[in-house]
């Protein structure tokens, strides 16, 4: 299991995310999560990772991160 934090260095975060089979993103404040996802530059590579077969599981705000109304 790998635990990644959106507040860590974006390069290190990407390395961690690229090494897993499943990404689990929990709930909370969707605006806070979206803000930190953008600061972590997740929007620049998440689609590529998911296209390689990595499964994304989001709960509440974690799910909203990917929907067009609020997400990346």
């Amino acid at each position: 299991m790998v635990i990644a934090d959106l507040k860590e260095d974006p390069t290190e975060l990407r390395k961690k995310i690229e090494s897993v089979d499943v990404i689990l993103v929990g709930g909370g404040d969707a605006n806070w999560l979206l803000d930190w996802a953008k600061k972590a530059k997740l929007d620049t590579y998440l689609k590529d990772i998911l296209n390689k077969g990595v499964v994304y599981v989001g709960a509440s705000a974690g799910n909203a991160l990917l929907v067009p109304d609020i997400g990346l």
Side-chain angles (χ1 to χ4, degrees):
M1 174 171 39
V2 174
I3 297 176
D5 186 338
L6 292 175
K7 293 180 181 179
E8 66 185 281
D9 177 67
T11 304
E12 294 301 315
L13 177 65
R14 182 176 182 160
K15 287 179 189 176
K16 285 183 178 181
I17 291 174
E18 288 177 330
S19 73
V20 300
D21 296 319
V22 177
I23 299 170
L24 173 61
V25 181
D29 183 329
N31 291 315
W32 181 93
L33 182 58
L34 179 60
D35 183 48
W36 277 102
K38 287 180 178 178
K39 289 177 183 175
K41 300 181 181 172
L42 196 61
D43 57 329
T44 63
Y45 61 85
L46 182 60
K47 186 175 181 178
D48 292 334
I49 290 173
L50 298 179
N51 284 337
K52 292 179 182 175
V54 174
V55 176
Y56 182 98
V57 179
S60 191
N63 183 53
L65 192 61
L66 298 184
V67 298
D69 289 347
I70 196 168
L72 300 174

